[in-house]
C-alpha cells in the first residue's frame, strides 16, 4: 500500500491515475454529445482544477474556449464556510454555455458562490462538471451535470487537490489515513 506523508497527515493511494484519466475521458464523451453546436466556454476553478481541466480539454471535440477563475475558500481539512470573490472573468460570457470545472464539490458552498457571481454576467446557461463529489457532505440543491467519481466524506489529495498547499503534483489521488 503506497503511503504519502504530507505535513502531519498520512495518505494512502485511493484512485490511480489510469482510473482518473478513464473517468475524465468518459466525462468528455458526455460533454461532446451534449455541447455540440453550442457556444461553450469552460471555466476551471483554480487552483485545484488545473489538472482536471488540462486532461479534460484534450478530449473535447467541439470548438470551445477555456479560461481559469480563482477564489480561495479552504484552509486545512475542513470548509471554512467563508466565500470569496471570483476573479479573472475577462471574456464576454453573455449568452454562452458556461461549464464550470471543479476539482471537487464537497459542501457545495463554493460552487453556489461561484454560480451566484457568474449569473451577474448573464451567461446563456451554466453547467457544472466536477471530477470528485462527496454526496454525504453536500448541502445544496444545485444539479451537478457531470460528476467523475462520487467518494466518501474523507479528505483527499493529488491530481490538483492539496493539503495545506502540498500534494497537488501527485498524479494519483490519495485518501487521508484516519489517525
Ligand atoms: P465546498 O465549498 O465545501 O464544496 O469545497 C470546495 C473546495 O474545497 C474545493 O474546490 C477544494 O478546493 C476544497 N476541498 C474540499 N474537499 C477537499 C478535499 O478532500 N481535499 C482537498 N480539497 C478539498
Amino acid at each position: 500500500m503506497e503511503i504519502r506523508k504530507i505535513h502531519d497527515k498520512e495518505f494512502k493511494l485511493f484512485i490511480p491515475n489510469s482510473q482518473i484519466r478513464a473517468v475524465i475521458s468518459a466525462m468528455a464523451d458526455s460533454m461532446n454529445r451534449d455541447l455540440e453546436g453550442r457556444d461553450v466556454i469552460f471555466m476551471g476553478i483554480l487552483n485545484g482544477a488545473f489538472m482536471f481541466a488540462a486532461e479534460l480539454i484534450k478530449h473535447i471535440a467541439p470548438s470551445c474556449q477555456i479560461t481559469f477563475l480563482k477564489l480561495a475558500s479552504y484552509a486545512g481539512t475542513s470548509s471554512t464556510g467563508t466565500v470569496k470573490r471570483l476573479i479573472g472573468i475577462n471574456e464576454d460570457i453573455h449568452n454562452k454555455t458556461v461549464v464550470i470545472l471543479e476539482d471537487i464539490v464537497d459542501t457545495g458552498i463554493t460552487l453556489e458562490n461561484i454560480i451566484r457571481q457568474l449569473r451577474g454576467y448573464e451567461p446563456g446557461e451554466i453547467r457544472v462538471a466536477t471530477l470528485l463529489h462527496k454526496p454525504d457532505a453536500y448541502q445544496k440543491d444545485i444539479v451537478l451535470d457531470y460528476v467523475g467519481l462520487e467518494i466518501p466524506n474523507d479528505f483527499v489529495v493529488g491530481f490538483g487537490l492539496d493539503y495545506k498547499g502540498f500534494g497537488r503534483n501527485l498524479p494519483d489521488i490519495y485518501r487521508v489515513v484516519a489517525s
Side-chain angles (χ1 to χ4, degrees), residues 39-55:
D39 192 359
V40 180
I41 181 162
F42 291 92
M43 296 191 141
I45 309 302
L46 296 173
N47 293 326
F50 74 98
M51 254 193 220
F52 168 46
E55 181 62 29

Side-chain angles (χ1 to χ4, degrees), residues 112 138-144:
E112 184 178 66
Y138 197 49
Q139 300 170 6
K140 305 294 175 187
D141 299 323
I142 301 160
V143 173
L144 307 178

Side-chain angles (χ1 to χ4, degrees), residues 66-102:
I66 181 162
T67 190
F68 289 89
L69 309 180
K70 177 138 185 158
L71 48 71
S73 68
Y74 214 71
T77 54
S78 65
S79 276
T80 61
T82 56
V83 286
K84 298 202 175 158
R85 202 168 68 86
L86 200 54
I87 53 172
I89 307 175
N90 302 318
E91 292 76 9
D92 178 13
I93 62 170
H94 185 66
N95 285 339
K96 290 190 179 175
T97 293
V98 168
V99 182
I100 296 171
L101 303 180
E102 266 285 23

Side-chain angles (χ1 to χ4, degrees), residues 11 45-49 71 73-83 102-112 114 132 134 137-139 151-158 160-163 168 174:
F11 294 85
I45 309 302
L46 296 173
N47 293 326
L71 48 71
S73 68
Y74 214 71
T77 54
S78 65
S79 276
T80 61
T82 56
V83 286
E102 266 285 23
D103 52 352
I104 187 164
V105 174
D106 184 342
T107 62
I109 291 168
T110 307
L111 180 64
E112 184 178 66
I114 290 167
L132 302 177
K134 296 179 183 173
Y138 197 49
Q139 300 170 6
I151 63 168
N153 198 5
D154 293 329
F155 195 80
V156 293
V157 294
L161 290 139
D162 75 306
Y163 173 53
R168 295 192 195 278
Y174 292 75

